[in-house]
Amino acid sequence: MAERMADFREILAPAAGGGTFAVTCELVPGRGFRGREIDSVFTFSEAARASGLVHAVSLTDNAGGNPSILTDEIARELQQTGVEVIMHFSLKDLNRGMVESRAWSLARQGIRNLLVVSGDYPSEGAIGVSQPVFDLDSVGALGLLKRMNRGLEISVRGKTRTLDKTDFFLGAVASPFKWREALLYGQYAKLVKKVHSGARFIITQLGYDSWKHAEFISHARRNLGVEARLLGSVYVLTAGAARIMRRGEVPGCFVGPALLAQVEKEAEAPDKGRAARRERAALQVATLKGLGYQGAHIEGLSLQFEEVQEILTRARELGGSWRDRMEELRSAPSRPYYILQGTAKDWMNAAPLRLTATMRRRIPSPLFWLTQALHWLLFHEGTPGHRLMTAASRAMEPHPGLVRAVYRLERGAKRTLFDCRECGDCMLPDLFFICPESGCPKHMRNGPCGGNRPDGHCERFPDRQCVWERVYWRARRRDLVQTLQFIVPPRDWRLYKSASWLTYFLKQDHQKAKEILPPLPGP
């Protein structure tokens, strides 16, 4: 019987245990502060610790946007019993001040493994749907936590002070299970941003296409040079869960009609489909291990440790036979997009990986051309118009009346044309004149979230196309996709309801801290 689980960071270290294949299990505490759902977390975790088969349990943070107990105290209690914990660190309910505060608190408790996620849009609570925060995205939060690991520098009464270093092992999520070019490219681009910002392990979103898993590890390792440790999600799929996912009620998760029909048929068996779903999960684990992933992240509604034990035992029995059964794990919509040419077997060998080239979509927009022309005339750095506007902005800055007049003029124009939210830190020029503040309910400024739907529409507003789908095609049409490979800080709320034209020319907005990353290979 294991006394304590090994350090998760050491398990994932390249030389650890001769290449240990990590197993983590995701647990979803419910609402309330005690009861069966809370007790089951401790029961599962104790069995996992004693078995030595599981290397960490992960605790969700208001999964699906549903209110639940804050898991900080649960994590502390589990760690006292020798259980290694991965905390989901969701940003939907925290502003950047609370992100830092919670991080200090977790560091004080000795909790080090953080899976940083933007989070699902809030669902209905006890008194309606709460207002989401999304003050930071996952890229920005990882950057802040990385700085805390290095010793956060703060200014106190004009003096710089360096705080004690934290020791967080930071992780993030990426989804290879996107079926449209724009959003799949966006996931890979954002993956690189997350690793650059401090992510050292990556857990994939859940999905049921072995080709996508093969593509992800091949493209991430060989084309993008991602060195973070990769774990693939394995979801023990029941008929009920499959129906929920098919209806689009789990953001970012796709179950095709054929898979749904198969799972429903399996549920008619005397064992209610128990053996079939565990066989499928075991095949997923064996496939991930065979493809070269560093671990499997096992999930499921009301997951029982006995299930996990059976799945892992069966996965070992499957051995290398997973290669002949990859086609059993193929649930994709019609005409799915793969960023790599060829087949899964091609991607797994040593041949060069070729990207899939597609036709560039025409998206006519007179507004785009009008604003583009105005930008090149007055806002493009180095032009006579830019020099003139910079000089004018400096001259107006000391005169509050002139500044207010410019603000009103800009507000009237941008509110009409772009549904402007008056942030004073405008992203329009960076995103081909599509606004992430008004167009995205999560205000994603560094790339798409993982919750968008298979048709490219928004997680929260199914009738709207994802902002980043539109941005990508405007960039792609002009061979400028590489210009999207940047990291921008979160908006500066000191600039709220100010003239972004002036903050731009006076270099007071995000441009001063914008970080340009090396270009990625693209279609």
Side-chain angles (χ1 to χ4, degrees), residues 99-302:
V99 167
E100 185 180 329
S101 295
R102 188 181 181 205
W104 296 128
S105 178
L106 294 175
R108 176 80 178 180
Q109 295 176 59
I111 296 168
R112 298 183 296 174
N113 306 313
L114 302 184
L115 183 67
V116 182
V117 296
S118 295
D120 300 326
Y121 199 89
S123 299
E124 187 166 2
I127 48 174
V129 177
S130 63
Q131 180 180 4
V133 180
F134 294 113
D135 188 35
L136 290 180
D137 61 12
S138 53
V139 174
L142 284 165
L144 172 59
L145 294 166
K146 179 181 178 180
R147 289 171 59 195
M148 293 174 70
N149 276 350
R150 292 177 173 177
L152 187 65
E153 292 187 355
I154 60 173
S155 179
V156 180
R157 292 186 289 275
K159 295 182 179 180
T160 300
R161 176 187 169 199
T162 302
L163 302 177
D164 291 340
K165 296 179 181 180
T166 55
D167 187 29
F168 293 124
F169 185 46
L170 301 175
V173 175
S175 179
F177 300 100
K178 297 299 174 187
W179 310 103
R180 296 168 66 89
E181 177 180 337
L183 297 180
L184 183 58
Y185 181 88
Q187 284 294 314
Y188 282 113
K190 198 169 182 180
L191 166 65
V192 172
K193 296 179 186 184
K194 291 175 179 178
V195 173
H196 178 84
S197 298
R200 292 296 170 260
F201 68 95
I202 301 293
I203 298 177
T204 70
Q205 179 62 283
L206 66 91
Y208 293 93
D209 186 348
S210 58
W211 281 28
K212 281 290 185 183
H213 272 307
E215 178 185 62
F216 181 74
I217 191 168
S218 298
H219 186 50
R221 289 279 190 249
R222 293 161 58 190
N223 279 355
L224 304 182
V226 170
E227 295 182 356
R229 315 307 282 167
L230 304 180
L231 289 81
S233 281
V234 174
Y235 194 91
V236 185
L237 189 65
T238 63
R243 285 190 286 268
I244 292 171
M245 292 180 194
R246 181 63 189 156
R247 293 196 298 265
E249 296 178 19
V250 183
C253 300
F254 172 80
V255 168
L259 179 57
L260 174 60
Q262 180 182 345
V263 173
E264 288 183 326
K265 184 177 180 180
E266 293 167 354
E268 297 173 359
D271 68 349
K272 309 297 184 184
R274 175 178 173 274
R277 61 176 172 262
R278 295 184 182 185
E279 177 71 12
R280 182 180 297 108
L283 180 56
Q284 285 184 287
V285 173
T287 301
L288 290 168
K289 186 173 183 179
L291 287 172
Y293 282 76
Q294 279 72 54
H297 183 73
I298 302 177
E299 312 167 54
L301 285 176
S302 303

Side-chain angles (χ1 to χ4, degrees), residues 41 444 477:
V41 171
M444 296 284 104
R477 182 66 188 162

